[in-house]
Amino acid sequence: MRRHLATAALLLFALTACADDAPLHFAGVVLYPDGSPAAGAKVWLTAWRSGEALLLTETPTDAVGRFRAEWERTPEDADVQPAVCVHAPGYGLAWTGRMVFSDPELWLVLEPEAPISGIVRGPGGDPLPGVRPVIDYVTRSASFDPDSIGELSSSIGLPAQLQEMLVSETDANGVFTIRNLPAGIGVKLSAQQPGCARARALLRSPSLPGAEPEEVRLTRSGTIRGRVYRAETREPLVAVCVYTTADQGLSATTDEHGNYEIAGVPQGLCSVLLHEDPTEFTAPAVTDVAVRSGAVTDGVDIEVIPGLEIRGTVTARDTGEPMAGALILCNSPQQPSLGLGWPTVRTAPDGTYSLRAPRGEIRMLASSMPAGWLAEGRPGLNAVTFTLTEANAPYTVDFRAVRFSPMRGRVVDGSGLPVPHARVLSVSDLLCPLMIRTTADAQGRFECGEPAMARILAAYRGNDMTRAPVVVDASRDGETTLRLSPAIRPTVIGRVVGTDGNPLAGASVRADLRDTSTRMGDVDDHWRYSTYANAGPDGRFALRSCWPGMDWNVRVTMPGYGEGAIAHEPLRDGESTDLGDIALEPADLIVNGIVVDEAGQPVTNVPVRAGPAGPGLSRRPPSFLLGKAYSGADGRFRITHLPREQVRVTADPNRYDGVAVFVGPENPEGDITLRVISRDDQVLFTHVLPTPLEVATEAMLGRVVELYRFKAFEGHEFGQYLGLSVVVDQHAARLPDERAWVCDDQGRWLEDHSIYIPSTGRRHYVFSLPEAGVKTLARVVIGVWRPDQLHTWNAALGPMQVFDPVVSGQHIAVLQSAELADEFIRPRDPAEAQPGKGPHIRARVY
């Protein structure tokens, strides 16, 4: 999935590079639900730029509901894709997807507003008045254009000018209201107060019937302080940006002394990074920074170093001409384990670039090229990975660009006449195929600018559509003709009701369509897409974004109700399929319970989640959230409006390790008990290897960096385990059956376990603790083979002493005896304290 997301981002880079530099023009009509024109409605162009939502331009609709907007794209706006957003009093916002190309025939139908409410609570559960939440973005799957197919995105950012019209400040009871939005939307928002970490929540409309407002629960936070300075001279660096991975919205700029302070950091481990393009200097990230609520973690200093040079050129493969303005991404120890990193440098007019990086593992990628050019190799797979050392610096990485010509074609009707402003859909043969929509001009001509070796093309205008998608190879010369067949668009209609027969307004209806006969080359995918609609006040819906001849199924959901799913025969040309009444059962299952620690004591303020125990009718993933609550001061919680099916109740796995409890028709409801351990309390001590142990193979490079002892639940069993923390860099796209094994000094392989550990950018392997008498581990093996096949081991490290005296923060591990025993170890601090308190640290002694 991560690779797919990266590929999607690269495709957007490529599309932007291919987009016309001329101003973008948008025109269309805004209608009320009854089809009358929305005269005087406000129309905005909004967009994301560098993580900030902007309002680009504003205009009203005329007397017949029409509008026209234009935006001049500058070179600095190369990655900006605007969306059209409209509003009329009494109705919710309506918007388009992000637009890469001009579109002269937009059609948006307004819907009544559907207010939703929430409540902001402090760390102790008390409501907080006077807080105005900030909406990060809103999203909806159903298009506001009933005929639209293939919109790239339905989420928009909201500029500050639109925030006040949408969300209110909390009242005396901590309640806020979101207005001017339609049904069927999701609102991602955040709230923040001094001394608390930023709290985020996703609110959905419509709200659960009779439910309490959705909670936005703040938690206490800590502060990180440090200094940024040049390692060789201790000279401070002024006005440079530092940020933390705990919340990438948290950052700070150094003062005249090089000092910085980041407040509002959530409790837990995080990294602190220098957020500067490394063209003149660099700095390794400071990892495993422990943040405690209400405390200051001081001395998190960043040493800026000259680093080692990485340089190269970007040239055309066929002519060798330099590529100016190519964007080079670099993932290095300055920003480890953060995907591909941010843009670091663009090539100069002569096609050269130069940047600085710390020694270590480097991943380089040419992400975008000038218009008409594409980085050689398939997007997402042309990265160069290497180890940067003093011996091989300056390291040279050259990239080549290849020409590609946009695929051109025309849309015609059955008589061969051009179809003006037809919509053309294109899916390219990338790792993550995305449906891109463009619009033909007045002569029916179109251009597909996304890079591809092959693509699937289809077109439509109104009820006229291409009967089947067309697969086109990029080597094909000349124009591609897409011929529309008249009046073949199929429609699916129906009504969503409760078991009492009353309509369920705002229910979400999703249809998944797939044509298994259409494939592209080596892409393991088909022509497929999803379309959505919302039930109106009478419960009725219409799915017009359908294609004839495709397999399809429908899923219906409504807050407070169970879901419905229907599979059907392929749709026929021009057919209107009536599904009749789709009755949803009330979601009236209630779960009451208590959260306790491993000693059975109540734990307060624990986020408790309820999700499906299985895929369900519509094959929902187990991570799908059905309900949530927080444990109170007595550890108790209550979750209502759950569907009548098997549900899995557990604590938030990122903050707690715990034992899931299953509740539903096959289990008595009753009172349940959740046993949990805070992630911050899991590790008993850590043994950091002074020199990481390395293992290198053709497929990977691994470094064993620490051993640690921790407590956890495996199934319903509570125990203590040995953890192995490994930093892995993969040279291969996928490691088959990658594993690790540990052998003690008596030749016994330790039993491994599948215990979930939240992602830290490392691989974690879990084993049973060594038995009595074990002082050393003879081997640590990392690879893809069974350990009993000795001749096929990828690598083995050993013998190595386990738990030599190493001080690591607040933890001490000592090799003292052959037997396992709990002891209190006195640190070097001579202060007096009773065992188990003060400076004494509890540890396991071997």
Side-chain angles (χ1 to χ4, degrees):
M1 174 60 72
R2 187 172 185 175
R3 185 183 302 152
H4 286 184
L5 293 175
T7 306
L10 292 172
L11 176 58
L12 293 180
F13 272 123
L15 283 172
T16 303
C18 300
D20 194 346
D21 290 333
L24 292 174
H25 299 270
F26 305 105
V29 63
V30 182
L31 304 175
Y32 289 119
D34 61 1
S36 61
K42 292 185 177 181
V43 180
W44 300 278
L45 286 184
T46 67
W48 287 101
R49 180 193 290 149
S50 303
E52 180 183 4
L54 301 176
L55 193 154
L56 303 177
T57 185
E58 178 180 344
T59 187
T61 58
D62 62 18
V64 294
R66 297 201 64 85
F67 68 90
R68 182 177 299 275
E70 179 179 305
W71 179 59
E72 184 88 32
R73 175 182 276 145
T74 65
E76 290 74 23
D77 297 324
D79 60 345
V80 174
Q81 296 143 8
V84 177
C85 181
V86 303
H87 176 254
Y91 292 86
L93 287 178
W95 58 86
T96 68
R98 289 174 288 177
M99 313 291 283
V100 179
F101 306 102
S102 297
D103 196 323
E105 290 199 354
L106 295 171
W107 178 26
L108 295 103
V109 179
L110 299 173
E111 299 176 12
E113 69 168 344
I116 53 178
S117 61
I119 183 170
V120 179
R121 296 187 183 275
D126 51 313
L128 297 180
V131 178
R132 184 183 293 276
V134 174
I135 297 179
D136 299 324
Y137 62 84
V138 295
T139 183
R140 192 174 94 149
S141 301
S143 173
F144 294 99
D145 176 353
D147 282 352
S148 175
I149 302 175
E151 287 192 356
L152 182 62
S153 172
S154 62
S155 62
I156 59 169
L158 293 169
Q161 297 92 322
L162 303 184
Q163 291 276 342
E164 288 194 10
M165 67 174 282
L166 293 177
V167 61
S168 71
E169 192 175 83
T170 57
D171 60 18
N173 297 315
V175 176
F176 63 90
T177 303
I178 298 174
R179 301 188 182 276
N180 295 311
L181 287 175
I185 56 96
V187 181
K188 184 67 177 292
L189 55 76
S190 60
Q192 194 169 16
Q193 285 284 85
C196 295
R198 189 194 318 268
R200 289 185 168 88
L202 178 62
L203 277 63
R204 297 191 180 276
S205 170
S207 301
L208 286 169
E212 294 294 323
E214 182 77 18
E215 282 193 10
V216 183
R217 183 73 66 101
L218 298 175
T219 58
R220 293 185 178 86
S221 64
T223 299
I224 299 175
R225 290 178 186 162
R227 184 169 177 263
V228 183
Y229 58 87
R230 297 186 184 275
E232 66 273 18
T233 64
R234 311 289 292 185
E235 173 190 359
L237 263 73
V238 179
V240 295
C241 183
V242 177
Y243 82 102
T244 171
T245 56
D247 184 334
Q248 295 192 24
L250 296 176
S251 63
T253 302
T254 57
D255 62 18
E256 66 273 17
H257 304 294
N259 297 321
Y260 73 90
E261 178 177 302
I262 304 176
V265 185
Q267 178 169 301
L269 294 177
C270 65
S271 297
V272 177
L273 303 90
L274 181 67
H275 200 318
E276 298 287 332
D277 289 346
T279 53
E280 299 179 5
F281 51 76
T282 184
V286 183
T287 59
D288 296 333
V289 178
V291 179
R292 292 284 181 179
S293 297
V296 175
T297 303
D298 210 342
V300 185
D301 296 343
I302 297 178
E303 290 189 338
V304 172
I305 58 177
L308 304 173
E309 186 185 13
I310 303 171
R311 61 192 182 190
T313 59
V314 181
T315 56
R317 183 179 65 181
D318 52 356
T319 65
E321 66 178 290
M323 292 286 106
L327 188 64
I328 307 298
L329 303 183
C330 178
N331 187 209
S332 78
Q334 180 174 325
Q335 62 274 5
S337 304
L338 295 179
L340 297 176
W342 58 82
T344 57
V345 67
R346 287 188 182 271
T347 54
D350 61 355
T352 63
Y353 73 89
S354 174
L355 56 88
R356 319 293 297 187
R359 62 188 180 95
E361 299 310 306
I362 308 294
R363 181 180 173 87
M364 302 283 297
L365 187 71
S367 71
S368 71
M369 295 290 167
W373 295 86
L374 178 67
E376 186 177 38
R378 295 190 64 175
L381 295 181
N382 58 359
V384 178
T385 303
F386 58 94
T387 302
L388 183 63
T389 66
E390 287 83 356
N392 63 18
Y395 198 94
T396 300
V397 180
D398 295 329
F399 295 96
R400 295 195 298 179
V402 294
R403 297 179 189 271
F404 78 93
S405 298
M407 182 170 291
R408 295 178 173 86
R410 63 188 186 123
V411 183
V412 299
D413 62 16
S415 303
L417 298 176
V419 180
H421 308 306
R423 300 295 173 90
V424 179
L425 306 177
S426 170
V427 178
S428 61
D429 60 340
L430 298 177
L431 260 173
C432 180
L434 294 172
M435 182 182 289
I436 308 299
R437 187 183 68 175
T438 188
T439 303
D441 63 18
Q443 289 74 45
R445 300 190 180 278
F446 67 89
E447 180 178 293
C448 295
E450 76 272 17
M453 297 304 294
R455 51 173 58 84
I456 299 175
L457 296 175
Y460 68 93
R461 178 172 172 81
N463 292 331
D464 301 343
M465 315 177 80
T466 49
R467 187 174 299 279
V470 177
V471 180
V472 182
D473 189 275
S475 61
R476 177 176 176 177
D477 294 329
E479 288 187 337
T480 298
T481 300
L482 300 178
R483 189 176 302 274
L484 303 187
S485 298
I488 66 170
R489 179 194 286 261
T491 304
V492 177
I493 61 175
R495 191 170 77 119
V496 184
V497 299
T499 52
D500 56 3
N502 291 322
L504 297 181
S508 175
V509 183
R510 164 179 168 168
D512 296 316
L513 299 98
R514 184 176 64 166
D515 178 9
T516 57
S517 65
T518 306
R519 302 177 64 91
M520 287 182 297
D522 61 347
V523 175
D524 185 21
D525 212 334
H526 313 286
W527 168 255
R528 63 180 181 179
Y529 66 92
S530 298
T531 182
Y532 304 78
N534 286 331
D538 57 358
R540 297 192 178 279
F541 66 88
L543 291 165
R544 288 187 44 79
S545 301
C546 300
W547 218 282
M550 300 182 74
D551 296 330
W552 63 285
N553 61 73
V554 168
R555 170 189 167 189
V556 184
T557 58
M558 176 71 181
Y561 291 83
E563 65 175 13
I566 300 173
H568 207 277
E569 295 296 323
L571 298 167
R572 292 189 289 270
D573 292 358
E575 180 183 64
S576 180
T577 301
D578 191 346
L579 300 180
D581 285 356
I582 303 174
L584 303 183
E585 290 189 352
D588 51 10
L589 183 67
I590 299 174
V591 174
N592 296 291
I594 186 172
V595 182
V596 300
D597 60 20
E598 65 267 34
Q601 297 301 308
V603 185
T604 185
N605 209 28
V606 175
V608 180
R609 300 178 173 183
L617 292 174
S618 59
R619 306 195 66 80
R620 292 175 305 196
S623 60
F624 190 87
L625 188 62
L626 297 173
K628 62 182 180 179
Y630 286 88
S631 61
D634 56 358
R636 299 199 62 80
F637 66 90
R638 177 182 176 88
I639 304 177
T640 62
H641 293 93
L642 294 174
R644 298 172 182 172
E645 62 179 69
Q646 191 87 342
V647 297
R648 181 176 184 268
V649 184
T650 184
D652 181 349
N654 293 311
R655 294 172 56 184
Y656 293 89
D657 179 53
V659 179
V661 178
F662 294 87
V663 179
E666 298 178 3
N667 305 85
E669 294 183 23
D671 226 23
I672 66 172
T673 299
L674 285 180
R675 302 170 63 201
V676 301
I677 306 171
S678 170
R679 294 291 183 192
D680 297 322
D681 298 330
Q682 271 192 281
V683 177
L684 300 177
F685 64 80
T686 302
H687 176 84
V688 178
L689 278 65
T691 302
L693 300 173
E694 293 193 351
V695 49
T697 72
E698 293 182 357
M700 56 171 272
L701 172 70
R703 298 189 305 278
V704 182
V705 294
E706 68 182 20
L707 299 168
Y708 54 95
R709 182 190 179 93
F710 70 102
K711 53 186 178 180
F713 289 104
E714 184 178 28
H716 290 273
E717 298 298 322
F718 172 76
Q720 296 189 16
Y721 302 90
L722 172 70
L724 191 70
S725 182
V726 183
V727 177
V728 174
D729 177 60
Q730 292 184 190
H731 304 320
R734 179 179 180 270
L735 290 181
D737 303 323
E738 178 195 352
R739 288 186 58 192
W741 301 269
V742 172
C743 181
D744 67 18
D745 57 359
Q746 300 181 34
R748 297 171 296 190
W749 294 102
L750 305 184
E751 180 184 0
D752 60 348
H753 300 268
S754 298
I755 293 178
Y756 172 74
I757 296 175
S759 174
T760 61
R762 298 175 178 177
R763 306 289 176 89
H764 299 275
Y765 303 98
V766 178
F767 304 92
S768 297
L769 285 167
E771 298 180 10
V774 175
K775 294 185 178 181
T776 61
L777 300 182
R779 289 182 181 273
V780 175
V781 182
I782 306 171
V784 297
W785 302 103
R786 293 170 53 85
D788 55 355
Q789 297 173 327
L790 304 184
H791 61 286
T792 57
W793 283 349
N794 292 116
L797 307 176
M800 59 176 280
Q801 195 75 23
V802 194
F803 308 133
D804 285 333
V806 174
V807 177
S808 173
Q810 291 290 311
H811 303 296
I812 296 179
V814 177
L815 173 66
Q816 181 169 320
S817 70
E819 300 297 327
L820 297 178
D822 280 326
E823 294 185 7
F824 290 96
I825 303 169
R826 188 184 186 121
R828 298 174 183 176
D829 186 348
E832 295 295 329
Q834 297 177 1
K837 300 180 180 180
H840 288 79
I841 301 168
R842 188 176 182 86
R844 175 68 78 179
V845 180
Y846 290 82

